[in-house]
Amino acid sequence: MTGLARRVAWNLRHRWRRVFALCVVGAGVAAPLLTGIWWWLPLVWFFGLFIALPVLHVLTKPVPEDDGDEGAHATGDPALDALRERYANGEIDEREFERKLDRLLETEDAETVDDPAEDVADRVREGVRREVERLRE
């Protein structure tokens, strides 16, 4: 596929609402010119933009997950989740958060490691650093 064809295909796939609206507007303008009946213009625009477009949008919208945003940042460790929650609420500062995190990671059980080559503490620290950066924004 050439660059132009690939760009057109991407636009149709991701921006179909805009393309559909433009087609409805064009059909609304062309209908009275072709038929000679002036009331086709508002009729086509109304049904295309206020009925067909919202129905198609709802039918093509992806179904959200059941959990939603609630479990998006949960680690499965209640102590770590509680620590993150306290930091997010401003109950503890960053220094105390890091200190308590290190203490939590020291007591981490070695049986929870899925891959022995990858250190659990490094994974959790990286996840917590990303969470801290997200909370600062």
Side-chain angles (χ1 to χ4, degrees), residues 11-12 15-28 44-57:
N11 281 328
L12 286 176
R15 296 181 178 158
W16 67 268
R17 291 163 202 82
R18 294 177 186 174
V19 173
F20 183 81
L22 284 174
C23 290
V24 167
V25 169
V44 170
W45 284 0
F46 176 77
F47 282 111
L49 297 177
F50 294 110
I51 294 175
L53 182 62
V55 167
L56 290 173
H57 174 73

Side-chain angles (χ1 to χ4, degrees), residues 3-106:
L4 179 61
R6 186 176 300 148
R7 182 177 293 161
V8 169
W10 186 91
N11 281 328
L12 286 176
R13 189 171 46 250
H14 295 287
R15 296 181 178 158
W16 67 268
R17 291 163 202 82
R18 294 177 186 174
V19 173
F20 183 81
L22 284 174
C23 290
V24 167
V25 169
V29 170
L33 296 176
L34 296 175
T35 62
I37 303 172
W38 67 268
W39 50 267
W40 276 98
L41 180 116
L43 187 69
V44 170
W45 284 0
F46 176 77
F47 282 111
L49 297 177
F50 294 110
I51 294 175
L53 182 62
V55 167
L56 290 173
H57 174 73
V58 168
L59 291 176
T60 60
K61 192 169 145 182
V63 179
E65 295 179 10
D66 292 338
D67 293 342
D69 193 35
E70 183 179 316
H73 301 292
T75 61
D77 183 9
L80 184 57
D81 291 337
L83 183 62
R84 284 181 173 177
E85 185 73 25
R86 287 182 64 199
Y87 180 74
N89 292 336
E91 296 173 14
I92 59 175
D93 62 349
E94 187 175 352
R95 188 169 17 122
E96 186 175 354
F97 177 78
E98 290 289 333
R99 186 175 52 81
K100 289 182 183 250
L101 177 65
D102 287 337
R103 189 179 318 147
L104 265 176
L105 293 177
E106 287 171 1

